Amino acid sequence: MSEHDPAESADRPVTAPAPPGPPGQRHGARQQMDQEFSAFYRENIRPLTGFLINHGAAVQVAADIAQEVMTDAYRNWGRITYPKAWVHKAASRALARKVASVEEPVDDVPEPTSLVPRPDAIAEWEAQHDALPLLRSLPMKQRQAMAWTLAGFTPTDIADHLGLPAENVRANLKKARRAAAAYLKAREEEQ
């Protein structure tokens, strides 16, 4: 994956690391980078986890992938031009690798983490989010387009990040929106 995404998104560019200089200057530049990353992390870790859940990942898997991607982002922070796009693309790819590896499900409840402090409450949380059953009912390409859209990316951004024609992304969004309308109408008729 390229660390320099040529994305035209609402993402803010990251300043390049300071040139080598006296130790005091390097320390100051490192502190500034750490502060920038810290602010980025706090602002984006939960939305990134939600993005992965919208892609179809279980909450615990989404939290693990989001944390791994943020760790990689920190390691590469000085070279990443568009951090929001970079972490979403990296997370999307990591989830695809995870799905492709097809691990056997475990019956044990995962241990608590800072992103999922009460793993036993995951089912309760999922039930509160009405969009999850809808998103999970969509075919993968439609779910992917909706997850990126819900994360704030435009169809052109999504096409650039996924290497797809923008027309394909728009078509998948249109199909997903139709499916969502049908899903919501059926739900209203049930009630």
Side-chain angles (χ1 to χ4, degrees):
M1 171 173 42
S2 168
E3 293 167 357
H4 302 281
D5 286 324
E8 292 294 328
S9 68
D11 207 357
R12 62 187 182 283
V14 175
T15 57
Q25 285 180 331
R26 283 192 305 249
H27 179 71
R30 181 61 187 196
Q31 279 185 321
Q32 181 181 354
M33 283 179 47
D34 285 351
Q35 288 173 351
E36 288 175 2
F37 178 79
S38 181
F40 173 80
Y41 179 91
R42 284 189 307 274
E43 183 180 324
N44 288 281
I45 188 66
R46 288 180 189 261
L48 182 63
T49 304
F51 169 77
L52 291 163
I53 292 167
N54 289 341
H55 256 78
V59 174
Q60 189 66 37
V61 170
D64 289 346
I65 290 173
Q67 190 61 44
E68 289 170 14
V69 166
M70 285 295 197
T71 301
D72 289 344
Y74 178 73
R75 288 184 189 124
N76 295 293
W77 191 246
R79 295 183 301 256
I80 298 173
T81 306
Y82 298 100
K84 182 178 176 188
W86 192 93
V87 296
H88 280 78
K89 190 173 186 178
S92 184
R93 288 180 175 179
L95 179 59
R97 283 191 302 274
K98 182 87 169 170
V99 169
S101 71
V102 188
E103 293 182 15
E104 290 294 317
V106 203
D107 291 329
D108 296 335
V109 175
E111 292 185 29
T113 66
S114 60
L115 291 176
V116 185
R118 291 187 39 227
D120 56 325
I122 289 173
E124 174 187 324
W125 180 87
E126 287 177 336
Q128 292 174 353
H129 291 79
D130 295 337
L132 288 177
L134 165 65
L135 289 169
R136 289 184 177 154
S137 71
L138 296 173
M140 182 57 181
K141 291 290 183 184
Q142 293 175 26
R143 184 177 350 145
Q144 186 178 43
M146 286 299 289
W148 279 87
T149 300
L150 292 170
F153 292 90
T154 67
T156 305
D157 292 338
I158 298 167
D160 288 344
H161 298 313
L162 300 179
L164 299 171
E167 298 80 34
N168 291 12
V169 173
R170 285 185 187 91
N172 282 319
L173 278 171
K174 185 176 182 177
K175 290 175 188 174
R177 288 178 179 134
R178 282 186 189 156
Y183 177 86
L184 293 172
K185 184 177 180 179
R187 239 177 100 187
E188 284 178 10
E189 291 173 357
E190 287 177 4
Q191 294 176 356

